[in-house]
Amino acid sequence: MMNNRFYPSFTNIGSASSWFEIYAAFSTFMMIFRTAINDLIPLKLRNFIISKLSSFFSSYRPSNEVSLQIDQTWDGNTNNLYYAAKEYLPTKISNTYKSLKIGKISDHKNLLLAFDGKQRVFDEFEGIKIKWLRIQKPDNEVFESPNPVRELDGEGYHYQGYPETYQYNKPKESAENGFMLSFDEKHRDKVMEKYIPHVLRTYEAIKAGNRTLKIHSMQTGVWKHSDFNHPASFDSLALDPDLKKSITDDIDMFLRRKKLYQKVGKPWKRGYLLYGPPGTGKSSLIAAIAKYLKFDVYDMDLSLVYCNSQLTTLMRGTSNRSIIVIEDIDCNKEVLNRSNHVNMDMGSDHFSGAQVHMLQAYQANPGSKKRFTMSGLLNCMDGLWSSFGEERILIFTTNHKDKVDSALLRPGRMDMHIHLSFLKTKAFKILASNYLDIEEQHGPLIQQIEELLEKVDVTPAVVAEHLLRNEDANVALEGLVKFLHEV
Ligand SMILES: Nc1ncnc2c1ncn2[C@@H]1O[C@H](COP(=O)(O)OP(=O)(O)OP(=O)(O)O)[C@@H](O)[C@H]1O
């Protein structure tokens, strides 16, 4: 039994004066203790102890917490999950974070925000709380690439990806970087099966949204790319609204149907034939489709293809989510004449130096010999196609549909034939409002033009050129009326 005589203060713990005595004694002790520490322990040592204690407590994890480490590389290979996390986390920037990086660079009009790389990032997914921590060696910080940023404008935060200047000058990152994500063990299955795929999917969507489209053109047996800056889009195209809708509906249906294509064993590809007179917008429509889909464009010039194996190699060199364009298909004599065939197959996926020389020799003397066969082209379009990957769109253009071999045009190869024709009333309305500031006062001139367009055949290219002739809408429209009377 404890004797109360030895614990007088605890027996009297209920009285206010006892509490005051304890508080006064404690404050005095703390004051003396703090002064002693400040006098006896140098500042550097104190800071060191504090940093050690805080790192100990920050690395403390409750026993039911699971952590997954995502390194930048996996057995020397790129770890896509690392890059996915790096793009995904900035989408979680909100104004609740107490420490962020802020900046302003010349090609962005708004302020940019980025994580400073030191703090934890908290995410919530279907009720699960997930904590992310960036792992990086202090030495690497100098070389560390900038974090992807968010742009801050009046409407809040908008994800921007990397600053443009950085994209062209991307520094090589150190292999020791990584991320650690932690969550309650009971959510392990959900994190693995749903959350991680969600991070990867977000990454893919961000990549597709931010990417600069490329146009690839052929150079001596290989593809060379440059930025695709064609200004046309579905908004700028003067097309009959019903035709425009049927094209976008078909594209949307194609994108939705990946599983169906797999189920019925068909390669996931779609072919469009664009036909019509020059200047009716075939090239512009290709650009609009590429922008709509965010697909790269491969401009396949058949006049530079010298054998079936080169054709196969070039097709194989195209990437998924791309549009392969063969313009003026009717102008390729080889495609017109199926029997005209000189065997130039080199039987290889890659061209050797000798083969490249051979091709160059043929290029120097075009038209000397038959180069590839019709069956080679057909094989590339269907049979062999499936091994080249998926999500491909093949577009042929021609000014003379009747001259193109029907084998090329059958459904399954060219699934939709799109006729681009002369400019008529509905499409003119779009063109005029894109080019000029049309106001109510221009009504009578517009009506006159629409009546004339129903009687004569002029291409959108010709009308567009007239609309550009004067900044004053009245003058430009009057000029067009005059021109249409003369046609
Ligand atoms: N439907 C259209 N809507 C808007 N502009 C158009 C349209 N068609 C043509 N144009 C204008 O005419 C120019 C030429 O059009 P485009 O090159 O797309 O025609 P095309 O049918 O591909 O011609 P070609 O058969 O000679 O290659 C475009 O740059 C654009 O300014």
Side-chain angles (χ1 to χ4, degrees):
M1 276 282 282
M2 283 192 203
N3 189 331
N4 271 352
R5 277 180 303 148
F6 294 106
Y7 305 97
S9 52
F10 288 99
T11 52
N12 298 330
I13 205 151
S15 82
S17 63
S18 316
W19 274 110
F20 183 72
E21 274 170 36
I22 293 169
Y23 172 73
F26 181 72
S27 319
T28 316
F29 168 76
M30 283 307 290
M31 241 157 63
I32 296 167
F33 181 70
R34 211 178 298 147
T35 317
I37 290 207
N38 286 347
D39 289 349
L40 297 176
I41 307 178
L43 182 67
K44 275 193 174 170
L45 184 57
R46 263 182 281 146
N47 286 345
F48 176 76
I49 294 167
I50 289 169
S51 78
K52 284 289 155 202
L53 283 175
S54 62
S55 85
F56 169 78
F57 284 111
S58 68
S59 59
Y60 168 76
R61 289 202 304 272
S63 58
N64 58 347
E65 189 175 271
V66 174
S67 288
L68 301 175
Q69 183 166 327
I70 303 168
D71 287 338
Q72 191 174 347
T73 56
W74 185 275
D75 278 349
N77 297 311
T78 304
N79 183 0
N80 284 339
L81 193 50
Y82 168 85
Y83 291 95
K86 207 169 166 191
E87 293 281 348
Y88 173 79
L89 291 181
T91 66
K92 301 290 149 194
I93 290 181
S94 69
N95 49 13
T96 57
Y97 283 94
K98 292 200 170 146
S99 137
L100 290 169
K101 283 205 266 195
I102 188 161
K104 170 90 184 70
I105 52 177
S106 45
D107 51 356
H108 284 251
K109 65 178 191 316
N110 298 313
L111 288 175
L112 300 170
L113 286 178
F115 285 122
D116 63 9
K118 293 172 200 132
Q119 73 278 70
R120 280 136 205 278
V121 178
F122 296 95
D123 192 13
E124 195 156 341
F125 177 79
E126 296 189 3
I128 310 171
K129 288 198 166 38
I130 294 134
K131 189 169 70 190
W132 286 84
L133 185 65
R134 189 160 194 174
I135 308 164
Q136 62 188 112
K137 273 193 169 181
D139 306 355
N140 299 333
E141 269 176 45
V142 180
F143 303 107
E144 177 59 26
S145 58
N147 285 319
V149 293
R150 296 201 119 188
E151 192 166 334
L152 186 64
D153 64 14
E155 290 163 13
Y157 298 93
H158 295 281
Y159 180 75
Q160 286 291 312
Y162 291 96
E164 207 125 289
T165 38
Y166 164 65
Q167 290 181 358
Y168 295 110
N169 207 4
K170 202 170 181 173
K172 200 168 164 38
E173 291 173 83
S174 160
E176 280 81 358
N177 293 328
F179 291 98
M180 178 85 83
L181 76 158
S182 316
F183 48 88
D184 193 310
E185 189 171 17
K186 66 180 183 223
H187 298 307
R188 186 193 291 266
D189 289 348
K190 210 166 176 185
V191 168
M192 300 301 284
E193 285 159 23
K194 288 191 164 178
Y195 182 66
I196 300 279
H198 160 75
V199 172
L200 286 165
R201 269 198 312 275
T202 310
Y203 171 54
E204 289 302 329
I206 291 169
K207 264 202 314 185
N210 283 339
R211 235 162 45 88
T212 316
L213 296 187
K214 303 277 177 221
I215 178 148
H216 303 251
S217 43
M218 289 163 54
Q219 278 176 25
T220 340
V222 287
W223 292 111
K224 286 272 174 350
H225 69 256
S226 53
D227 287 352
F228 186 48
N229 295 318
H230 199 297
S233 66
F234 272 112
D235 288 335
S236 73
L237 263 188
L239 281 188
D240 183 289
D242 292 339
L243 177 61
K244 205 182 276 190
K245 185 167 183 314
S246 68
I247 299 168
T248 48
D249 283 353
D250 191 83
I251 295 171
D252 290 339
M253 192 175 69
F254 166 70
L255 291 180
R256 277 199 310 271
R257 286 185 156 182
K258 181 174 186 175
K259 286 208 172 116
L260 179 75
Y261 277 81
Q262 276 170 350
K263 197 171 130 199
V264 298
K266 272 169 81 78
W268 191 26
K269 61 155 182 92
R270 196 98 182 128
Y272 297 111
L273 173 78
L274 313 187
Y275 67 100
T280 49
K282 296 182 290 299
S283 308
S284 307
L285 179 56
I286 293 168
I289 293 175
K291 274 191 202 157
Y292 186 77
L293 287 168
K294 299 200 169 68
F295 279 16
D296 280 355
V297 173
Y298 288 82
D299 184 10
M300 175 88 79
D301 184 348
L302 287 187
S303 69
L304 298 177
V305 176
Y306 289 88
C307 55
N308 292 338
S309 57
Q310 187 196 7
L311 188 66
T312 311
T313 305
L314 286 164
M315 285 284 195
R316 284 207 177 129
T318 61
S319 58
N320 276 351
R321 301 173 64 77
S322 63
I323 300 176
I324 300 163
V325 177
I326 303 183
E327 289 209 67
D328 299 321
I329 186 83
D330 55 291
C331 297
N332 283 279
K333 291 191 193 69
E334 297 76 17
V335 179
L336 291 175
N337 185 352
R338 282 199 236 192
S339 58
N340 186 13
H341 168 213
V342 172
N343 188 8
M344 274 285 297
D345 270 357
M346 296 172 189
S348 160
D349 288 347
H350 302 284
F351 289 92
S352 66
Q355 285 170 329
V356 169
H357 281 129
M358 208 165 160
L359 293 174
Q360 281 169 339
Y362 275 97
Q363 277 171 347
N365 186 11
S368 59
K369 291 224 172 127
K370 172 69 189 78
R371 295 165 286 227
F372 65 92
T373 62
M374 175 70 171
S375 63
L377 184 60
L378 294 179
N379 276 343
C380 277
M381 286 177 66
D382 35 49
L384 282 174
W385 187 272
S386 46
S387 60
F388 297 153
E390 44 185 32
E391 257 184 310
R392 296 297 208 300
I393 296 222
L394 184 64
I395 299 183
F396 284 175
T397 74
T398 177
N399 297 336
H400 308 282
K401 185 183 170 191
D402 50 314
K403 289 190 189 165
V404 183
D405 194 309
S406 57
L408 278 171
L409 302 185
R410 76 156 169 74
R413 288 185 181 134
M414 290 292 107
D415 302 285
M416 190 176 181
H417 296 192
I418 300 168
H419 186 205
L420 295 168
S421 189
F422 300 112
L423 192 71
K424 298 296 165 192
T425 314
K426 286 181 185 166
F428 170 71
K429 280 195 167 68
I430 301 168
L431 199 67
S433 65
N434 281 343
Y435 278 70
L436 301 169
D437 288 328
I438 301 292
E439 290 169 14
E440 225 177 312
Q441 47 162 328
H442 302 123
L445 275 173
I446 298 275
Q447 197 183 342
Q448 223 180 323
I449 293 168
E450 286 175 355
E451 281 164 14
L452 285 165
L453 283 174
E454 293 307 317
K455 292 182 200 148
V456 295
D457 287 341
V458 282
T459 63
V462 170
V463 174
E465 201 267 322
H466 273 85
L467 296 180
L468 272 181
R469 283 191 183 174
N470 205 302
E471 284 176 26
D472 184 330
N474 223 37
V475 179
L477 292 172
E478 277 171 0
L480 182 57
V481 171
K482 189 166 176 285
F483 166 76
L484 292 175
H485 274 299
E486 288 165 3
V487 174

